[in-house]
């Protein structure tokens, strides 16, 4: 039987590397897969778009490259990874094909009330349950499903080093996140952009810069506990990558209380949840006083991730939902 042909379209190099993660999962699952990056699908096109700005994403020469890809590749399914990051012209080109492939649209951030691109898709997949009501308000006509982010366990996996007992938080600063960090009563290591307001902290070790994914994995492998605080700018109920990646590396995750958390984990057994600063600090104290408790929670969370929350699981969910089988 001929393997499914899947074309992934979106922006290369996003914060969570969503496009790249899904591409690797498709390959691991045995599907014939290709990426078309709207911010440049080759080194030359990436440099050209970087030089001319993102308005070049829907320039004639880029759209011609996309049309050529469709003619040569003949996908059975197109997955728009970040529906609103793909210019409208790409959807219009696909819709005009005589035997067009299905379009699955993934939405991971708050979106504008512009239903054109969404309504070109055959099915939408939301990482945040709040987006269902937002989609209804924006008059989306396309049915939607809840589909959270995930992890690649071939990259994020336990290491072989002793774990630091201090709390680790790797994230860019937002006002809400800083407010949470300022309530911490024990030292923590904070890494990410825009944390200059805390660089003089006498309590925390702060590194105000980005790090590579390889460095991130090493950190998750070498710390006992990872803090997760949502980005209030982009999400309401949904889980971000820190709800999955540290668990895959064997760390315990302290997650703020989100409506979607129980859709993915058993709170208290597989992931630890706090609703306020007192609960957060109590959990930190318990983890440092009872290391066995943390080990048990981390292992239960890791097993849940491996069983249900890899990007291969997400690809398979989309294919089953759309009735596509290789």
């Amino acid at each position: 039987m001929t393997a499914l042909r899947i074309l992934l379209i979106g922006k290369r190099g996003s914060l969570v590397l969503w496009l790249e993660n899904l591409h690797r999962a498709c390959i691991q699952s045995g599907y014939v897969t290709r990426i078309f990056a709207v911010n440049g699908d080759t080194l030359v096109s990436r440099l050209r778009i970087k030089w001319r700005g993102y308005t070049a994403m829907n320039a004639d020469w880029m759209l011609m490259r996309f049309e050529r890809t469709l003619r040569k590749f003949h996908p059975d399914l197109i997955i728009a990874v970040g529906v609103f990051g793909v210019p409208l012209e790409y959807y219009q080109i696909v819709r005009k094909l005589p035997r067009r492939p299905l379009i699955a649209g993934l939405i991971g951030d708050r979106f504008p009330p512009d239903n054109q691109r969404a309504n070109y898709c055959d099915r939408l997949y939301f990482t945040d349950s709040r987006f269902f009501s937002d989609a209804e308000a924006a008059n989306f006509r396309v049915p939607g499903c809840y589909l959270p982010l995930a992890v690649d366990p071939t990259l994020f996996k336990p290491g072989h080093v002793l774990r630091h007992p201090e709390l680790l938080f790797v994230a860019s600063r937002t006002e809400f996140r800083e407010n949470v960090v300022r309530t911490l009563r024990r030292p923590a290591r904070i890494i990410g952009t825009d944390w200059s307001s805390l660089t003089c902290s006498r309590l925390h070790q702060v590194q105000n810069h980005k790090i590579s994914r390889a460095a991130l994995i090493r950190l998750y492998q070498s710390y006992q506990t990872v803090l997760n605080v949502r980005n209030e700018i982009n999400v309401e109920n949904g889980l971000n990558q820190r709800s999955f990646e540290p668990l895959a590396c064997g760390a315990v995750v302290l997650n703020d209380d989100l409506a979607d958390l129980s859709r993915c984990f058993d709170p208290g057994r597989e992931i630890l949840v706090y609703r306020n600063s007192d609960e957060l600090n109590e959990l930190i104290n318990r983890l440092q006083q009872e290391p066995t408790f943390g080990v048990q929670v981390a292992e239960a969370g890791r097993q849940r991730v491996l069983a249900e929350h890899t990007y291969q699981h997400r690809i398979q969910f989309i294919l089953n939902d759309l009735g596509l089988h290789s």
Side-chain angles (χ1 to χ4, degrees), residues 8-53:
L8 300 163
I9 181 171
K11 290 182 180 178
R12 191 187 298 271
S14 72
L15 183 63
V16 300
L17 298 175
W18 208 3
L19 188 71
E20 295 85 343
N21 287 330
L22 288 166
H23 180 244
R24 198 162 43 251
C26 288
I27 297 298
Q28 291 166 353
S29 298
Y31 301 118
V32 181
T33 311
R34 184 171 295 180
I35 283 180
F36 188 93
V38 295
N39 57 342
D41 59 320
T42 64
L43 177 60
V44 172
S45 61
R46 286 198 294 273
L47 292 174
R48 194 172 176 184
I49 287 176
K50 188 174 182 179
W51 176 260
R52 296 191 177 187

Side-chain angles (χ1 to χ4, degrees), residues 157-174:
K157 54 189 175 183
H160 302 284
V161 296
L162 292 175
R163 293 184 181 271
H164 299 288
E166 294 87 4
L167 185 69
L168 172 70
F169 185 37
V170 184
S172 57
R173 178 212 168 267
T174 68

Side-chain angles (χ1 to χ4, degrees), residues 82-85 106-115 117-118 124-140 233-235:
V83 167
F84 297 97
L106 278 55
I107 298 178
D109 292 323
R110 295 184 193 273
F111 47 84
D114 169 14
N115 59 28
R117 280 171 285 187
L124 297 172
Y125 298 91
F126 301 114
T127 61
D128 188 320
S129 63
R130 167 60 189 266
F131 296 165
F132 287 98
S133 57
D134 292 344
E136 184 178 0
N139 295 316
F140 289 9
I233 300 169
N234 292 332
V235 301

Side-chain angles (χ1 to χ4, degrees), residues 152-204:
D152 183 345
T154 66
L155 298 177
F156 290 84
K157 54 189 175 183
H160 302 284
V161 296
L162 292 175
R163 293 184 181 271
H164 299 288
E166 294 87 4
L167 185 69
L168 172 70
F169 185 37
V170 184
S172 57
R173 178 212 168 267
T174 68
E175 183 177 354
F176 180 68
R177 286 171 171 171
E178 181 174 338
N179 289 339
V180 171
V181 168
R182 288 187 179 277
T183 69
L184 297 175
R185 298 171 195 150
R186 285 180 179 263
R189 186 174 181 187
I190 315 296
I191 304 174
T193 55
D194 301 325
W195 287 102
S196 56
S197 58
L198 286 182
T199 51
C200 296
S201 171
R202 296 182 179 181
L203 180 62
H204 305 305

Side-chain angles (χ1 to χ4, degrees), residues 223-241:
Y223 276 78
Q224 172 183 298
T225 308
V226 173
L227 176 64
N228 190 18
V229 186
R230 71 182 181 276
N231 183 338
E232 74 278 14
I233 300 169
N234 292 332
V235 301
E236 182 73 26
N237 301 328
L239 282 60
N240 58 33
Q241 70 274 23

Side-chain angles (χ1 to χ4, degrees), residues 127 146-152 156 220 228 238-251 253 255 260-261 263-265 271 301-302 304-306 308-311 314:
T127 61
Y146 173 71
L147 191 68
L149 291 172
V151 67
D152 183 345
F156 290 84
Y220 287 162
N228 190 18
L239 282 60
N240 58 33
Q241 70 274 23
R242 273 174 303 278
S243 298
F244 304 100
E245 292 173 350
L247 288 176
C249 291
V253 172
N255 213 103
D260 291 345
L261 201 62
R263 289 173 175 257
C264 299
F265 297 104
I271 195 167
R302 191 174 80 89
R304 183 68 179 270
V305 163
L306 295 177
E308 297 182 18
H309 299 308
T310 71
Y311 279 105
R314 302 298 181 250

